[in-house]
Amino acid sequence: MKKILSFVVVAVLALSLAACGNSGAPAQGEGSAAGEGTSKETLVMATNGAFPPYEYYDGDVMVGIDVEMAQAVADKLGMELQIEDMDFGAIIAAVQSGKADMGVAGMTVTEERLENVNFSDSYATGIQVVIVKEGSDIATIDDLEGKMIGVQESTTGHIYCADTPENGGYGEENVTAYTTGANAVEALKTGKVDCVVIDNEPAKAFVAANEGLKILETEFAVEDYAIAIAKDNTELVEKVNKALAELKADGTLDAIVAKYIPAE
Ligand code: GLN
């Protein structure tokens, strides 16, 4: 029985939200001009713009659930949102050093991360899933032993899979980490890895964009996404939590999610 990583079977419920497309999204450009003709204070968001539908590029503009949610939070705080795109693994350090005010990147709350940053209240659920090639002999997570697993560097999928078998992982030697989920998926397509362990919504986006891949239907790890904020900035945590509560209560957050994750 796996100890640390307690996988549970989850029926992915179709959201009973009004179906809508991705058109007409007010987009937040990267690095919006801070201080240019505005007296607004800047709210710097660190993210990794390769994690659809939470943050990704539509042309050269970063869009997605996190981007629009962060914009809505900034609006509530009367601040100017500025986006800094970086490797996922650099986000916590950016928040700790004050280079960024908050990390908004489909980031899972973990005990280890809580030692370095604070987290806001959760705004979404993430599920770690397994992508395989159609026709793969991997049918469940129990078939992953001895296989080469592709992951995105520094993500929970990486941390869990690279852990020792005693701790529910598969061992570092069985894991190859890539800077982006897209690169991991590319490695799966070319046979460099046998599967990719990644969050469910990006997984769906990658499978939709690539022929011949599928997501295993069984056994997932369920996680909470939240906004990472520096340990000493409890004032911002409170402000962000208040803004998030309002955005949840008035349906704004649901509407943003429904725009990027159409009802199934
Ligand atoms: N939810 C995962 C984590 O926090 C992956 C996030 C991401 O790749 N942006 O580690």
Side-chain angles (χ1 to χ4, degrees), residues 51 88 105-108 113 152 155-156 199 223 225:
F51 197 69
F88 182 78
M107 190 179 282
T108 303
R113 289 174 184 163
Q152 184 189 350
T155 62
T156 46
D199 303 46
E223 313 179 315
Y225 289 172

Side-chain angles (χ1 to χ4, degrees), residues 47-48 50-51 54-55 66 88 91 105-110 113 126 128 152-159 181 198-199 202 223-225:
T47 195
N48 171 246
F51 197 69
Y54 290 93
E55 41 269 330
D66 285 343
F88 182 78
I91 296 171
M107 190 179 282
T108 303
V109 179
T110 69
R113 289 174 184 163
Q128 294 297 313
Q152 184 189 350
E153 204 167 28
S154 303
T155 62
T156 46
H158 183 191
I159 296 161
I198 193 162
D199 303 46
E223 313 179 315
D224 289 323
Y225 289 172

Side-chain angles (χ1 to χ4, degrees), residues 23-44:
S23 57
Q28 169 64 43
E30 189 195 355
S32 50
E36 260 175 41
T38 166
S39 56
K40 278 188 187 172
E41 224 184 302
T42 307
L43 184 65
V44 181

Side-chain angles (χ1 to χ4, degrees), residues 58-102:
D58 182 3
D60 53 10
V61 176
M62 205 193 290
V63 297
I65 294 169
D66 285 343
V67 174
E68 290 203 30
M69 179 186 68
Q71 182 63 60
V73 167
D75 288 346
K76 289 219 174 266
L77 269 50
M79 295 172 87
E80 184 89 25
L81 185 70
Q82 183 186 324
I83 300 177
E84 295 290 343
D85 191 8
M86 60 188 72
D87 285 348
F88 182 78
I91 296 171
I92 299 253
V95 169
Q96 279 183 298
S97 70
K99 187 172 172 245
D101 299 305
M102 55 181 193

Side-chain angles (χ1 to χ4, degrees), residues 116-211:
N116 298 311
V117 287
N118 274 329
F119 277 101
S120 71
D121 294 332
S122 178
Y123 63 88
T125 299
I127 304 169
Q128 294 297 313
V129 298
V130 184
I131 308 176
V132 295
K133 272 189 183 169
E134 267 163 23
S136 166
D137 59 353
I138 300 172
T140 79
I141 55 156
D142 293 327
D143 302 328
L144 294 187
E145 267 148 59
K147 301 287 186 186
M148 183 50 80
I149 305 168
V151 295
Q152 184 189 350
E153 204 167 28
S154 303
T155 62
T156 46
H158 183 191
I159 296 161
Y160 295 154
C161 289
D163 209 338
T164 58
E166 299 79 65
N167 284 331
Y170 299 94
E172 245 171 81
E173 66 282 8
N174 294 309
V175 176
T176 308
Y178 297 88
T179 40
T180 65
N183 289 348
V185 168
E186 207 48 49
L188 173 62
K189 285 169 69 182
T190 56
K192 291 199 184 82
V193 298
D194 300 305
C195 65
V196 170
V197 173
I198 193 162
D199 303 46
N200 61 324
E201 289 302 337
K204 281 195 240 166
F206 291 133
V207 167
N210 293 280
E211 295 261 306

